[in-house]
């Protein structure tokens, strides 16, 4: 059995209520950090998710969904309703969200520190919970590598300048950062995503990844950029695509021995061939997800198949 203390994800769960014209609404378990935890567990990793879930039908559905993949769910015992989001899809399967969410995660004790911590999205910017999340990550990073995905939701970010400062403080705490070109456009309007990624890299991370939808993705390293194309795929919807990219990234980094305090220095000197392999895994994970409904990332066998049988 995987060790559930191996990887720790801190962040929100959200019930995604998908509404399509002429069809009954469907409820999918979601929330960016929860999706990453689920994706990692599907790939065989031991994962603990620190989150909030209400004592309601959505909360029970999400808890069962996560547990079914092997995620250990830890909450602070709060009884606020489970966050939800109305998800509408356009003709190309692109998702737009309207949220009903509060985030006030309290302290949750851990028996021992994890090797890696991931956070992002609403959890790292929405108060009153965000301050505690960032403090928890900061306290754990001596023993663990850290990854971060801002997963910008403009309607939940609050004041723009304050949100940018919060995001930049999380970037500086992290070893690996992933952001979409849409995230970066909201944070820094009119600025080239590659230039923003280079600036972020200079503040602390070893690796900054930029996803570009159908145009693939880009890794920014101290010695340059590494691009990867998006695998051809018939898109059903894009729900959870960025989260699957993140879980695929962490899966591949771990396979290369680049997670954990003992992997941090190797991560800082990672070569371009290794980064290319990581990006291939991440892009393939996202491609499997967009080819089916909801945030439904691949398991290890599906990822290997998407990579042509070469997956780890």
């Amino acid at each position: 059995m995987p060790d559930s203390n191996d990887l720790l994800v801190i962040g929100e769960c959200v019930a995604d209520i998908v509404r399509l014209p002429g069809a009954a609404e469907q409820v999918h378990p979601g929330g960016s950090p929860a999706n990453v935890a689920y994706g990692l567990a599907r790939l065989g990793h031991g994962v603990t998710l620190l989150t909030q879930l209400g004592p309601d039908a959505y909360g029970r559905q999400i808890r069962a969904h996560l547990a079914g993949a092997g995620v250990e769910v830890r909450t602070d015992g709060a009884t606020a309703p489970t966050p939800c989001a109305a998800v509408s899809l356009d003709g190309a399967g692109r998702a737009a969200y309207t949220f009903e969410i509060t985030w006030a995660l309290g302290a949750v004790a851990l028996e021992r520190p994890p090797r890696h911590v991931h956070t992002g999205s609403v959890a790292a910017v929405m108060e009153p919970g965000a301050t505690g999340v960032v403090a928890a990550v900061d306290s754990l990073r001596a023993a663990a590598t850290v990854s971060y995905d801002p997963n910008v939701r403009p309607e939940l970010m609050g004041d723009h300048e304050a949100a940018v400062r919060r995001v930049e403080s999380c970037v500086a705490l992290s070893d690996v950062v992933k952001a979409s070109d849409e995230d970066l456009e909201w944070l820094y309007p009119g600025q080239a995503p590659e230039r923003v990624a280079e600036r972020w890299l200079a503040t602390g991370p070893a690796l900054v990844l930029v996803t570009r939808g159908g145009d693939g993705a880009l890794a920014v390293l101290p010695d340059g950029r590494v691009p990867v194309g998006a695998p051809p795929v018939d898109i059903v919807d894009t729900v959870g695509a960025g989260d699957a990219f993140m879980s695929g990234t962490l899966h591949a980094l771990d396979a290369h021995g680049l997670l954990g305090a003992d992997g941090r220095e190797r991560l800082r000197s990672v070569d371009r061939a290794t980064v290319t392999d990581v990006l291939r895994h991440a892009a393939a994970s996202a491609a499997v997800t967009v080819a089916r409904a909801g945030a439904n990332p691949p398991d290890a066998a599906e990822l290997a198949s998407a990579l042509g049988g070469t997956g780890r």
Side-chain angles (χ1 to χ4, degrees):
M1 291 289 291
D3 183 348
S4 61
N5 286 92
D6 195 35
L7 305 180
L8 174 68
V9 179
I10 308 176
E12 73 275 6
C13 295
V14 178
D16 290 335
I17 305 167
V18 181
R19 294 168 178 154
L20 297 173
E25 70 178 30
Q26 301 178 38
V27 179
H28 297 289
S32 177
N35 290 342
V36 173
Y38 182 78
L40 287 167
R42 293 263 293 164
L43 291 170
H45 297 272
V47 188
T48 297
L49 174 66
L50 300 188
T51 192
Q52 289 184 306
L53 284 171
D56 48 34
Y58 290 156
R60 291 190 292 273
Q61 179 181 355
I62 292 172
R63 187 182 288 273
H65 166 77
L66 293 166
V71 178
E72 180 181 343
V73 179
R74 303 280 293 273
T75 72
D76 63 358
T79 58
T82 300
C84 62
V87 185
S88 58
L89 303 174
D90 66 15
R94 291 184 294 263
Y97 297 82
T98 303
F99 292 92
E100 293 182 19
I101 182 169
T102 58
W103 178 249
L105 184 70
V108 180
L110 297 173
E111 287 74 22
R112 64 181 187 275
R115 285 193 308 117
H116 183 81
V117 182
H118 174 76
T119 194
S121 195
V122 173
V125 295
M126 178 177 279
E127 297 294 3
T131 295
V133 169
V134 174
V137 171
D138 191 26
S139 71
L140 292 168
R141 71 181 310 274
T145 41
V146 175
S147 57
Y148 171 65
D149 176 5
N151 189 47
V152 168
R153 299 295 182 226
E155 60 269 46
L156 301 177
M157 300 296 284
D159 176 76
H160 184 269
E161 290 186 6
V164 171
R165 289 194 299 271
R166 174 73 77 176
V167 167
E168 290 177 345
S169 69
C170 291
V171 168
L173 284 175
S174 302
D175 299 286
V176 178
V177 177
K178 191 278 290 183
S180 71
D181 51 4
E182 293 178 346
D183 293 337
L184 298 180
E185 174 60 27
W186 186 85
L187 291 165
Y188 309 99
Q191 299 186 34
E194 298 87 348
R195 297 298 185 191
V196 175
E198 288 168 352
R199 284 206 314 274
W200 279 5
L201 190 74
T203 68
L207 185 63
V208 178
L209 309 176
V210 179
T211 59
R212 303 182 292 188
D215 293 328
L218 179 78
V220 177
L221 305 168
D223 66 347
R225 305 171 184 173
V226 179
V228 67
V233 63
D234 293 327
I235 296 174
V236 173
D237 67 50
T238 63
V239 177
D243 306 322
F245 187 98
M246 189 77 244
S247 57
T249 295
L250 296 176
H251 173 68
L253 287 172
D254 197 34
H256 284 285
L258 299 173
L259 297 186
D262 58 349
R264 179 172 280 131
E265 287 308 311
R266 292 193 295 275
L267 181 60
R268 294 199 171 277
S269 58
V270 66
D271 61 83
R272 297 170 71 88
T274 299
V275 171
T276 299
D277 185 61
V278 169
L279 287 173
R280 286 180 59 250
H281 280 73
S285 181
V288 172
T289 302
V290 302
R292 53 199 189 190
N296 188 3
D299 62 19
E302 290 171 328
L303 180 57
S305 177
L307 289 163
T310 61
R312 291 178 177 82

